[in-house]
Amino acid sequence: MQQIKAGVVGYPVVQSLSPLIHQHWIAQYGLSGIYEHIEIIPDQFDRVIAHIKDENEYDGFNITAPY
């Protein structure tokens, strides 16, 4: 089974409970995956998102404050 990699983008993002919640459901349904914090400094947002998309490093992500 392929491992899914996803995360939540924000700044600051360490306070987000998304990884805890999503890791619970990943485990609950026996999936292979990781969901993590992706902290991006505001003036680097466009560059980092472009890099993430170009590298296909993540299968998906959601966005929180301030974006």
Side-chain angles (χ1 to χ4, degrees):
M1 177 187 297
Q2 178 183 354
Q3 181 166 335
I4 297 167
K5 185 174 180 184
V8 58
V9 172
Y11 185 81
V13 75
V14 70
Q15 79 287 354
S16 173
L17 297 178
S18 290
L20 179 67
I21 293 165
H22 290 282
Q23 283 298 144
H24 168 80
W25 293 115
I26 288 169
Q28 179 76 23
Y29 288 100
L31 303 173
S32 177
I34 184 169
Y35 190 99
E36 59 191 11
H37 294 110
I38 307 168
E39 186 164 280
I40 303 175
I41 297 170
D43 65 351
Q44 297 178 4
F45 183 82
D46 291 340
R47 182 182 61 78
V48 173
I49 293 297
H51 176 76
I52 287 172
K53 288 170 62 178
D54 289 345
E55 295 296 314
N56 289 324
E57 183 178 350
Y58 289 88
D59 297 294
F61 51 88
N62 65 316
I63 309 236
T64 190
Y67 308 121

